[in-house]
Amino acid sequence: MTKTIFNPVRGMKDLYGIDLTKYQYIIDNALRIANKYGYKLIETPIVENTEVFQRSIGDETDVVAKEMYTFKDKGDESITLRPEGTAGVMRAIVSNNISVTKNNPLKLMYYGPMFRYDRPQKGRYRQFHQLGFENIGAMSPYTDALTIALAHEILTAVGIFDCQVYINSLGELSSREDYIKAIVKYFSIYEDKLSEESKIRLKKNPLRILDSKDNNDKEICSMAPKIYDYLSKNDIKYFECICDILDNYGIKYEIDNLLVRGLDYYSHTIFELKVNNGQYKDAIGGGGRYDRLLNILGGPDVSGIGFAIGMERLMMLLDDNKFKLKENIISVIPVSENENESAFELYKNILSYDIRAEFVHIGNNLSKKVEIASKLDSNILLIIGNDEVKDNTVTVTYMNKTEEEGRNTVINRNNIINFLKYN
Ligand code: HAM
């Protein structure tokens, strides 16, 4: 047996305890808000035929070129663990013939695990979870602004008050092609000075040089041609309109001309959400408009816009203390085996009122049982010994009180449910 079987696969982790509570809290809030905006839940398989991602995300992107978990199944088909949710949702619309037109948009929400063979580090995993939204059909600045507002609202609802929206426009395809030509020309002048990664990107995916984290590259990028100068009049009008609606909404945003995003399917509006309090520098969420994605996968020629929030990154920003259980955890403890039956009756009665409780009857003596209850995070013990059975009472012990504060109190067993409910 090798040691590795005792650990999850590198870059993957188990989700339990406070983290799972946070996860569910975010999802509950997202479902509530999504309902208000008319989104319906969709679940797609975790694996797709590899081509679904190659066609939509783009062969030259890091995600497709380097990060996909792709393998042959037993039928020799190439399948891939989904690296993101948008492509699978588009494929599902086509496979299930779900109706979507310009006038009848489709709003879908999803969440679940995604897989990228990335270098694991803080906030970056090989299995991570996304909460995603896609609004397909309508193309209007209102739709774009509302999508950004939705992302902002979800983060605010779970307690991220200093979230900053960064927004940019990649324009329509022809504007972007002209822009790419211009930056290839510009970066070629500085090719020798670019980082190794950017040299490769210059050949394969030049837009992504603008996203480089290398300081030298960043300096070269700061003087590069700006996308804004290559946008058509319509593109500019559309983008300015989104900004006006966001202003009207009171959502603070910053226009970031260097924002490009890592997936090839974007056009027009793109955006990312970050926290600017120094807690974490990478994006918590990001998204944008995609003009041809559904069509590329065999669906109607309609545009869509969406975003995804990285659950692990968001969970990391939420304060653990807020998620520690505040409800009472009650342990019913018989002092010895003789009181098991009587204590079990009490325990069943408590459960029938939907009150959370544990029946701590294993352990050689009372102090061992108290220790077990304490490990279960119990704050109230209901102890039943010989005297309590005889007198029809229960000894209540508050684990976090001292003797002076009234750690122990004896109450009549008939009053126990009212006592637990209103204490
Ligand atoms: P993305 O920017 O690649 O977009 O991912 C969205 C979010 O997922 C990121 O902002 C980040 O929080 C999280 N994320 C990405 N990779 C990792 C990782 N390795 N570990 C932890 N978290 C990660 C998309 O995936 C698009 N599908 C979003 C979209 C939806 N665009 C339009 N519709």
Side-chain angles (χ1 to χ4, degrees), residues 13 30 48 83 112 115 126 133-134 144 180 193 235 239 241 259 266 273 292-293 317 324 344 356 379 391 407 415:
K13 58 179 188 167
E48 295 281 349
F115 303 83
R126 289 182 174 173
F133 295 81
E134 311 296 343
D144 295 35
I180 291 174
K193 297 201 173 93
D235 286 341
F239 186 63
C241 200
L259 181 65
Y266 292 116
L273 299 113
R292 292 174 314 130
L293 193 47
L317 298 176
K324 292 198 174 131
F344 189 56
R356 178 169 176 203
N379 57 337
D391 303 341
R407 183 175 170 85
N415 297 333

Side-chain angles (χ1 to χ4, degrees), residues 15 117 123 166 204 229 237 283 329 395 423:
L15 198 52
Y117 196 81
Y166 294 87
K204 296 196 160 175
D229 298 326
K237 201 169 142 213
I329 304 181
T395 296
N423 250 282

Side-chain angles (χ1 to χ4, degrees), residues 11 57 63 67 83-87 90 110 114-135 261-263 265-266 271-273 280 282-290 293 304-314:
I57 299 172
V63 171
E67 296 170 2
E84 57 102 55
T86 314
M90 297 306 129
Y110 51 90
M114 308 288 159
F115 303 83
R116 292 185 193 177
Y117 196 81
D118 216 335
R119 206 159 52 85
Q121 51 193 285
K122 190 179 174 198
R124 194 171 291 279
Y125 306 97
R126 289 182 174 173
Q127 177 179 319
F128 59 98
H129 296 76
Q130 279 187 347
L131 163 64
F133 295 81
E134 311 296 343
N135 185 343
R261 309 264 308 127
L263 312 163
Y265 50 61
Y266 292 116
F271 61 97
E272 281 187 349
L273 299 113
Y280 188 68
D282 288 345
I284 309 305
R289 183 163 278 287
Y290 40 86
L293 193 47
I305 182 165
F307 67 91
I309 289 171
M311 291 293 285
E312 281 75 6
R313 294 190 186 176
L314 180 52

Side-chain angles (χ1 to χ4, degrees), residues 240-267:
E240 287 178 349
C241 200
I242 296 168
C243 295
D244 286 345
I245 303 166
L246 289 175
D247 286 338
N248 179 279
Y249 233 99
I251 291 174
K252 276 196 268 156
Y253 60 88
E254 203 174 288
I255 297 170
D256 177 359
N257 281 144
L258 295 179
L259 181 65
V260 283
R261 309 264 308 127
L263 312 163
D264 272 359
Y265 50 61
Y266 292 116
S267 46

Side-chain angles (χ1 to χ4, degrees), residues 188-354:
S188 298
I189 302 170
Y190 297 96
E191 189 167 354
D192 291 347
K193 297 201 173 93
L194 288 173
S195 67
E196 287 312 307
E197 192 162 15
S198 290
K199 277 183 191 150
I200 298 169
R201 284 181 167 163
L202 184 57
K203 304 270 170 323
K204 296 196 160 175
N205 198 354
L207 265 186
R208 291 283 286 164
I209 299 176
L210 297 171
D211 215 18
S212 171
K213 304 281 177 283
D214 179 277
N215 282 338
N216 209 26
D217 286 354
K218 276 187 184 169
E219 206 180 310
I220 299 172
C221 288
S222 67
M223 291 166 306
K226 301 281 176 285
I227 180 91
Y228 204 75
D229 298 326
Y230 291 79
L231 297 181
S232 68
K233 276 201 182 108
N234 277 344
D235 286 341
I236 292 177
K237 201 169 142 213
Y238 191 90
F239 186 63
E240 287 178 349
C241 200
I242 296 168
C243 295
D244 286 345
I245 303 166
L246 289 175
D247 286 338
N248 179 279
Y249 233 99
I251 291 174
K252 276 196 268 156
Y253 60 88
E254 203 174 288
I255 297 170
D256 177 359
N257 281 144
L258 295 179
L259 181 65
V260 283
R261 309 264 308 127
L263 312 163
D264 272 359
Y265 50 61
Y266 292 116
S267 46
H268 303 281
T269 321
I270 49 171
F271 61 97
E272 281 187 349
L273 299 113
K274 295 184 178 176
V275 281
N276 51 8
N277 59 7
Q279 257 183 300
Y280 188 68
K281 63 176 185 12
D282 288 345
I284 309 305
R289 183 163 278 287
Y290 40 86
D291 274 351
R292 292 174 314 130
L293 193 47
L294 190 57
N295 196 233
I296 285 174
L297 292 171
D301 187 9
V302 289
S303 179
I305 182 165
F307 67 91
I309 289 171
M311 291 293 285
E312 281 75 6
R313 294 190 186 176
L314 180 52
M315 280 148 58
M316 187 170 77
L317 298 176
L318 304 183
D319 183 358
D320 279 8
N321 288 319
K322 281 199 194 144
F323 293 87
K324 292 198 174 131
L325 276 176
K326 289 199 182 72
E327 61 172 338
N328 288 330
I329 304 181
I330 293 143
S331 280
V332 179
I333 307 183
V335 173
S336 75
E337 270 185 18
N338 298 336
E339 292 82 35
N340 271 0
E341 206 177 306
S342 174
F344 189 56
E345 278 307 308
L346 174 67
Y347 176 65
K348 281 195 305 185
N349 191 25
I350 292 172
L351 289 188
S352 74
Y353 284 89
D354 288 340

Side-chain angles (χ1 to χ4, degrees), residues 87-105:
V89 169
M90 297 306 129
R91 196 271 313 135
I93 295 171
V94 178
S95 315
N96 298 289
N97 232 335
I98 303 175
S99 160
V100 49
T101 66
K102 284 192 176 104
N103 298 326
N104 274 312

